[in-house]
Amino acid sequence: MYKHDVIVVGAGGAGLRAAIAAHEEGADVALVSKLHPVRSHTGAAEGGINAALRAGDSWEDHAYDTMKGSDYIGDAPAVETLCQDSPEETIQLEHWGMAFSREEDGRVSQRPFGGLSFPRTTYAGAETGHHLLHTMYEQVVKRGIQVYDEQYVMELAVTDHADPEERSCHGCIAYDIKTGELNGFVADGVVIATGGPGQLYAHTTNAVAQTGDGQAMAYRAGVPLQDMEFVQFHPTTLPSTGVLISEGVRGEGGILYNSEGERFMFEHGYAKNDGELASRDVVARAEVTEVEAGRGFEDDAVHLDMRHLGDERITDRLENIIHLATDFEGVNPLEEPMPVKPGQHYEMGGIETDENGATCIEGLYAAGECACVSVHGANRLGGNALPELIVFGARAGRHAARSESVVPQIKTGPSAKIEDSDVESPVALGLDEESRADIVADGGALLDATAEDVVTHTLEQEQQRVETLMERDGVNHAEVRSDLQQTMTANVNVFRNEDGLKQALRDIHACRERYRDVGVSDPSRTFNTDLIHTIETRNLIDLAEVLTLGALARTEFRGAHWRQNFQERDDEHWLKHTMVAWNDGSPELYYTDVILEGEDKVYEPKIRSY
Amino acid sequence: MSTHVPESESESETGAPEQTEEQIPAAQQRRLAKKQERSDQREQRAESESETDEQTVHLKVFRYDPEVESKSRPRFDDFHIPFKKGMTVLDALIYSRDHYDSSLTFRHSCRQAICGSDALFINGAQRLGCQTQVSDLDDPVRIEPLPHQEVVKDLVVDMEHFYEQMDAVDPYFRDEDVPSGLEEQNQTRENREKIKMSTRCIWCGACTSSCNIAAGGNYLGPAAINKAYRFAMDDRESDALQQERFETIEQENGVWRCQTQFSCTNVCPKDIPLTEHIQELKREAVKSNLKFW
Ligand SMILES: Cc1cc2nc3c(=O)[nH]c(=O)nc-3n(C[C@H](O)[C@H](O)[C@H](O)COP(=O)(O)OP(=O)(O)OC[C@H]3O[C@@H](n4cnc5c(N)ncnc54)[C@H](O)[C@@H]3O)c2cc1C
Ligand code: SF4
Ligand code: FES
């Protein structure tokens, strides 16, 4: 059993920032991560970090752009916090030595990005995330913060009070990948920073490790998941792998063409003013529409051309793109256009938190892509995720160290509920009658016991779970995962309709049933990736259900969520957050208010046109 | 190793002159040309191959698991998998694992050459599985764990030693007087350009694994020295601190062990001119009159 004041689960940008912040508050903090920190997916981020740094720009403008980008489903207190804190956090990285690209005068460079009214995207080549991740890991090493790497966190140790708002989190259980031992971690504060669930989809820009573990664990422990139906599909990913071609390419002047050589963003009226630089959802839909109209390449792609920018400018600012296109698509973008298509990229929703990263369970925090403070609402602007990591990572770390007690404006937990929803589902949600035990909240353990007891109890439960999986000879998780990804890609993608969503729910249900027979065939304890992937797959099933359910219920068109038959944003009925809570194994769907009142203004919903 | 390599000699020996402003783009050009060449070859091959029908790839994969009796003696397993255009070695491994043997173990995550977790020994060279097109390789494709590192299981090696070497160079930015608030420590474009390649390291360990000298003893190895270079050359660190960095890399296990064999530079998947960086540090060390071993 390991003991620390604060445990941060996940060592990507958000986790590292949280750990540094907690450490600066004097807490004994440790990072527990299934990958070595420098292998985290934050390293893949390309384009940049939005921060209002320069004359002519202001945090207020950044906040306005973000609220508009969110299609008014972001919460103003969270958005304003993001925009107020980002400049300082970004410059903090510069002070830590991050290798930002530079202006002539030596100050950090900024560039234009989609949906922004000012070129405020601060960047380091087309590999901003790599630099950000390494810079923060360096600071973790400098401070001597304990890192437990290659430890897979399987479950949170939470008390089993009936009301989630009375529960408290005392630590977590991790599988030591190298030895196969299960370890208990006891802590006063646990920060989940496990990143997004991109592996829900077959075609994604996300790493293989992005399986939404933290979201699924928090969900089963009783924290609602918020706005999960809002999934961002990035308009420019390479067709064969899903590798991302940064928005920086369009920011620098890259042009999208259909197979008839038309600059369709303008010529077909998708975004008459901003063209290629319209919001991601707008561009992704335009591309799919072009392909469906028969104006695509190879039936699934359009072309992104940057040749006219000139070799020099490309090599200077976008060199990484040349390597990506050559290595992963066999195309040299200095000589020919790159084929691109939309791919799953970012999960706007996640673990419900307030501005301090706190969830409704005492001692449990979340930050980064796995969390939903609600800064991105229905659509995230490019360059707004990295500032989220550093701003809310730092806040969650500080608060988990219990050093601040600012009263948050965002309310969390079931008591924030404004109404229930009863959406008609084609299957019994979450249920799989024959073996309920397997799918019921596994985290819950012992009322009012000591922290150690709660962790020990959860540890025993998890040991049992591993034994069962290892002993059973059954279905390979990879088949189940692949089926799940296929149905999500077919039915819960850029375009959505009722039949498709219902089909997805049926398929997810079938995956759940098949998962009952899943077995780990590798008998080894050492580095058993078969076991880990099997547990991850279970997490993906839970998340797929939450996401699809929310999408089925939301009968409007907002941000990244497009519904056939509901082609209008419906502010009268849908200016609210979707919440899904784990209610004894059945997802319970309810809604909470969107907060449009900021510090000294109200963000009136306007038509989103670019 | 205690040979003194005079400045001029080292240059002629390595054929790696100090990078000047104009030469940096030239180096980039070379790398791009290399990539283009590879992609051209790939295209040609794909064209000739598309004429035949169903293609298969033959993988010979190293297997070892100390815990499982049937696998405790190292061996190679054969996998024959359907070839698809654009397939990488990592794709082929994933296919083998998901379709034939779920116990096949290897590290991987990003699939885009940024996480550094799938450096492997592929047909006799250190490469990233995700960055290597199957069509660029001779059949059968032989996949082994990185040499010179202890094998944990199948293709997974113990990276602890590599991480320790990285830690040994104080791999973090240090400066006493960082400005406050929103004020930046300005850096010239030239200086950023100078450290740029060194900052690209993804800790894959390919370079260290390819180096004979790193294999034997406690030589810091190319990756750690490159990390030291990254900070030593960053003008934002004070002169005094930079001097300290030279002392670290100058020690017995530091730069002087490098015999300029270029194996590290040849395998680095991020095209970092490692040998050049090491040579440059040697020169700097000589200039600043430090002792050498
Ligand atoms: C290709 C790409 C490009 C992007 N470009 C940009 C950009 O230019 N600008 C921008 O703002 N945003 C960008 N984004 C989005 C942004 O990079 C991500 O949202 C962000 O990096 C997520 O960071 P994170 O810290 O939340 O999670 P991650 O970096 O994904 O880290 C997750 C961590 O959790 C750990 N973990 C996961 N599960 C477990 C478990 N069960 N047990 C223990 N540890 C676990 C992992 O090991 C890892 O350390 C991009 C995203 C992608 C995919
Ligand atoms: S220097 Fe290159 S080969 Fe060595 S660890 Fe870094 S990326 Fe890998
Ligand atoms: S999988 Fe990340 S470098 Fe290859």
Side-chain angles (χ1 to χ4, degrees):
Chain A
M1 196 96 80
Y2 297 96
K3 272 176 99 160
H4 294 275
D5 298 337
V6 175
I7 293 283
V8 180
V9 181
L16 294 170
R17 189 64 191 89
I20 294 170
H23 184 262
E24 279 176 350
E25 296 299 328
D28 162 23
V29 53
L31 281 151
V32 187
S33 174
K34 71 176 172 182
L35 306 173
H36 183 279
V38 303
R39 318 244 177 263
S40 301
H41 201 56
T42 293
E46 295 171 12
I49 310 171
N50 296 340
L53 294 173
R54 299 287 176 247
D57 198 9
S58 66
W59 73 260
E60 286 91 346
D61 288 352
H62 186 187
Y64 176 81
D65 291 344
T66 305
M67 286 300 285
K68 177 180 169 197
S70 82
D71 225 349
Y72 303 94
I73 214 100
D75 283 337
V79 168
E80 293 191 341
T81 304
L82 176 87
C83 304
Q84 286 162 349
D85 289 8
S86 178
E88 201 171 317
E89 285 291 341
T90 304
I91 295 306
Q92 172 74 81
L93 291 168
E94 199 286 323
H95 291 170
W96 285 339
M98 182 162 157
F100 283 107
S101 293
R102 300 283 168 168
E103 295 297 336
E104 285 300 348
D105 65 3
R107 295 189 306 166
V108 298
S109 291
Q110 298 200 301
R111 65 175 156 213
F113 240 43
L116 299 182
S117 57
F118 189 92
R120 70 169 73 88
T121 307
T122 320
Y123 63 98
E127 0 177 76
T128 312
H130 167 79
H131 292 287
L132 177 137
L133 181 70
H134 283 257
T135 302
M136 282 204 281
Y137 177 61
E138 287 157 17
Q139 293 299 312
V140 161
V141 173
K142 185 177 184 182
R143 288 164 174 73
I145 293 170
Q146 171 89 47
V147 179
Y148 299 91
D149 73 323
E150 301 201 321
Q151 296 259 356
Y152 177 78
V153 176
M154 323 174 37
E155 208 59 274
L156 300 167
V158 174
T159 59
D160 65 355
H161 295 80
D163 179 355
E165 288 175 41
E166 284 173 18
R167 293 178 196 163
S168 49
C169 178
H170 295 288
C172 61
I173 310 303
Y175 166 83
D176 183 332
I177 301 178
K178 272 168 272 186
T179 65
E181 263 164 52
L182 293 196
N183 292 324
F185 286 86
V186 184
D188 299 332
V190 175
V191 182
I192 303 180
T194 51
Q199 289 298 317
L200 282 168
Y201 289 85
H203 189 79
T204 173
T205 62
N206 284 201
V208 179
Q210 307 305 101
T211 50
D213 299 332
Q215 294 177 336
M217 288 189 289
Y219 172 55
R220 291 196 300 267
V223 184
L225 295 181
Q226 178 176 347
D227 295 335
M228 290 288 284
E229 68 271 29
F230 297 113
V231 181
Q232 181 160 79
F233 297 90
H234 198 292
T236 57
T237 73
L238 296 175
S240 57
T241 47
V243 165
L244 178 78
I245 298 302
S246 162
E247 184 158 328
V249 174
R250 282 170 293 136
E252 297 289 345
I255 298 178
L256 290 167
Y257 291 110
N258 63 19
S259 60
E260 303 190 350
E262 295 166 311
R263 193 172 177 185
F264 58 87
M265 289 307 299
F266 290 103
E267 290 182 39
H268 288 271
Y270 299 107
K272 290 201 175 88
N273 296 321
D274 294 1
E276 283 84 5
L277 282 177
S279 239
R280 290 179 175 173
D281 56 324
V282 177
V283 183
R285 274 193 301 275
E287 289 176 0
V288 178
T289 309
E290 287 299 300
V291 168
E292 285 181 356
R295 295 191 294 269
F297 295 92
E298 309 239 327
D299 284 344
D300 73 343
V302 295
H303 275 172
L304 175 61
D305 198 349
M306 62 176 191
R307 291 171 297 179
H308 57 285
L309 301 178
D311 292 9
E312 198 183 321
R313 174 129 163 242
I314 297 175
T315 321
D316 178 41
R317 306 199 181 186
L318 299 162
E319 192 196 328
N320 188 38
I321 300 302
I322 310 175
H323 300 303
L324 294 177
T326 335
D327 289 341
F328 302 105
E329 198 70 34
V331 167
N332 178 356
L334 295 173
E335 289 175 0
E336 52 191 321
M338 298 172 272
V340 292
K341 73 175 204 179
Q344 191 282 347
H345 182 57
Y346 187 88
E347 171 56 74
M348 264 78 74
I351 303 166
E352 184 201 34
T353 72
D354 64 24
E355 309 95 289
N356 301 327
T359 71
C360 67
I361 294 184
E362 205 206 329
L364 186 61
Y365 299 78
E369 188 172 338
C370 68
C372 184
V373 217
S374 212
V375 284
H376 311 304
N379 171 60
R380 173 177 74 87
L381 294 181
N384 258 356
L386 296 180
E388 177 188 17
L389 307 182
I390 49 183
V391 167
F392 293 100
R395 292 172 77 94
R398 277 198 290 276
H399 285 269
R402 304 285 159 93
S403 57
E404 270 180 41
S405 54
V406 182
V407 181
Q409 279 165 272
I410 296 173
K411 291 192 182 56
T412 60
S415 55
K417 180 195 291 191
I418 50 166
E419 67 189 80
D420 286 312
S421 162
D422 49 338
V423 51
E424 191 202 324
S425 158
V427 284
L429 290 161
L431 290 184
D432 149 11
E433 283 87 18
E434 286 171 54
S435 71
R436 278 207 61 185
D438 217 31
I439 51 150
V440 160
D442 344 61
L446 305 176
L447 287 161
D448 302 322
T450 65
E452 280 82 357
D453 288 345
V454 176
V455 174
T456 308
H457 180 88
T458 315
L459 181 64
E460 284 161 5
Q461 266 183 313
E462 290 306 294
Q463 258 150 356
Q464 194 53 51
R465 178 174 170 201
V466 169
E467 290 308 324
T468 314
L469 285 172
M470 300 275 289
E471 277 165 18
R472 206 158 49 196
D473 182 28
V475 175
N476 178 0
H477 83 90
E479 291 170 28
V480 181
R481 191 186 286 200
S482 163
D483 288 353
L484 190 75
Q485 292 172 337
Q486 296 308 332
T487 191
M488 293 301 285
T489 307
N491 300 309
V492 203
N493 214 303
V494 176
F495 290 122
R496 300 163 175 190
N497 62 45
E498 183 175 333
D499 288 348
L501 292 167
K502 288 195 162 162
Q503 184 56 46
L505 279 174
R506 266 183 241 115
D507 295 339
I508 294 163
H509 187 80
C511 288
R512 206 184 266 297
E513 271 183 39
R514 289 181 71 205
Y515 189 84
R516 219 170 40 197
D517 297 325
V518 99
V520 174
S521 53
D522 186 353
S524 176
R525 289 267 162 180
T526 313
F527 228 98
N528 194 329
T529 50
D530 194 7
L531 171 67
I532 294 170
H533 295 158
T534 302
I535 297 172
E536 289 171 347
T537 300
R538 153 73 195 283
N539 292 339
L540 288 171
I541 296 172
D542 287 346
L543 297 178
E545 183 170 66
V546 168
L547 197 163
T548 310
L549 184 60
L552 180 61
R554 189 175 279 273
T555 48
E556 66 159 350
F557 168 22
R558 186 184 297 269
H561 176 69
W562 182 99
R563 281 286 303 260
Q564 198 181 25
N565 299 341
F566 302 98
Q567 290 286 296
E568 296 284 324
R569 188 174 82 190
D570 179 0
D571 288 341
E572 196 189 327
H573 297 102
W574 286 108
L575 216 44
K576 56 196 180 190
H577 295 298
T578 306
M579 296 289 163
V580 182
W582 179 274
N583 193 351
D584 257 346
S586 284
E588 181 195 340
L589 184 61
Y590 66 87
Y591 295 96
T592 63
D593 273 325
V594 171
I595 310 175
L596 296 175
E597 295 87 33
E599 228 168 59
D600 50 29
K601 73 157 160 292
V602 176
Y603 297 83
E604 290 295 343
K606 295 206 179 88
I607 296 296
R608 228 170 113 246
S609 64
Y610 288 95
Chain B
M1 245 321 281
S2 59
T3 346
H4 172 201
V5 185
E7 209 178 330
S8 57
E9 199 182 302
S10 76
E11 271 197 20
S12 58
E13 236 177 43
T14 63
E18 189 163 353
Q19 285 197 337
T20 64
E21 286 320 317
E22 308 92 72
Q23 278 165 326
I24 290 167
Q28 276 174 356
Q29 290 303 326
R30 271 204 306 281
R31 278 191 300 279
L32 293 176
K34 199 172 85 189
K35 298 232 144 156
Q36 181 58 37
E37 196 185 313
R38 263 193 264 143
S39 92
D40 286 345
Q41 283 171 359
R42 208 147 62 215
E43 226 164 76
Q44 277 172 6
R45 212 166 298 162
E47 258 167 43
S48 62
E49 276 164 5
S50 61
E51 283 147 27
T52 57
D53 290 10
E54 173 83 350
Q55 289 235 348
T56 56
V57 184
H58 178 187
L59 305 181
K60 286 186 104 53
V61 185
F62 178 89
R63 305 299 302 271
Y64 165 73
D65 186 339
E67 247 189 89
V68 178
E69 213 189 318
S70 60
K71 280 177 58 190
S72 61
R73 286 199 23 231
R75 63 160 203 274
F76 282 86
D77 275 0
D78 295 282
F79 296 99
H80 296 268
I81 60 166
F83 173 79
K84 268 212 209 129
K85 185 172 174 280
M87 178 177 250
T88 64
V89 171
L90 178 63
D91 293 334
L93 283 172
I94 292 176
Y95 190 95
S96 308
R97 180 195 66 199
D98 288 354
H99 290 85
Y100 302 132
D101 182 353
S102 62
S103 72
L104 177 59
T105 306
F106 46 93
R107 287 193 182 96
H108 67 296
S109 185
C110 69
R111 314 152 11 265
Q112 56 188 78
I114 190 71
C115 76
S117 60
D118 67 338
L120 296 163
F121 199 55
I122 302 167
N123 280 2
Q126 285 81 358
R127 316 177 205 237
L128 296 179
C130 63
Q131 203 189 25
T132 307
Q133 293 281 325
V134 167
S135 59
D136 284 350
L137 302 168
D138 291 334
D139 204 60
V141 178
R142 199 178 157 94
I143 308 172
E144 296 163 78
L146 285 182
H148 303 319
Q149 267 130 307
E150 198 186 320
V151 178
V152 177
K153 178 176 167 184
D154 293 349
L155 301 171
V156 174
V157 293
D158 189 348
M159 294 288 288
E160 267 333 297
H161 183 63
F162 178 84
Y163 296 150
E164 279 163 19
Q165 302 287 57
M166 291 302 254
D167 274 359
V169 297
D170 295 339
Y172 37 79
F173 186 79
R174 304 180 298 176
D175 211 352
E176 294 95 3
D177 41 30
V178 172
S180 59
L182 291 180
E183 200 191 322
E184 301 164 32
Q185 318 163 84
N186 290 353
Q187 182 182 29
T188 61
R189 283 188 167 176
E190 291 69 35
N191 187 240
R192 198 248 170 195
E193 195 62 32
K194 177 153 189 75
I195 61 165
K196 184 173 90 180
M197 293 310 288
S198 68
T199 59
R200 293 211 168 145
C201 174
I202 55 172
W203 297 45
C204 70
C207 53
T208 306
S209 159
S210 77
C211 174
N212 297 330
I213 302 145
N218 59 350
Y219 169 44
L220 280 173
I225 295 180
N226 174 67
K227 191 81 177 168
Y229 176 100
R230 181 250 171 279
F231 291 108
M233 297 297 169
D234 191 325
D235 286 346
R236 290 173 295 170
E237 273 198 358
S238 70
D239 293 348
L241 284 172
Q242 287 186 330
Q243 192 64 22
E244 268 182 44
R245 294 210 180 263
F246 287 121
E247 282 166 30
T248 316
I249 48 194
E250 254 256 300
Q251 282 164 13
E252 192 177 354
N253 58 356
V255 287
W256 298 112
R257 296 233 158 172
C258 168
Q259 296 182 349
T260 44
Q261 293 170 344
F262 281 96
S263 55
C264 55
T265 308
N266 289 337
V267 299
C268 175
K270 300 312 267 186
D271 301 325
I272 303 171
L274 293 163
T275 313
E276 284 175 41
H277 287 170
I278 298 171
Q279 291 305 97
E280 206 182 329
L281 288 174
K282 285 181 187 171
R283 276 196 295 281
E284 286 298 323
V286 173
K287 273 194 224 156
S288 52
N289 264 335
L290 287 165
K291 64 173 186 295
F292 32 83
W293 298 73

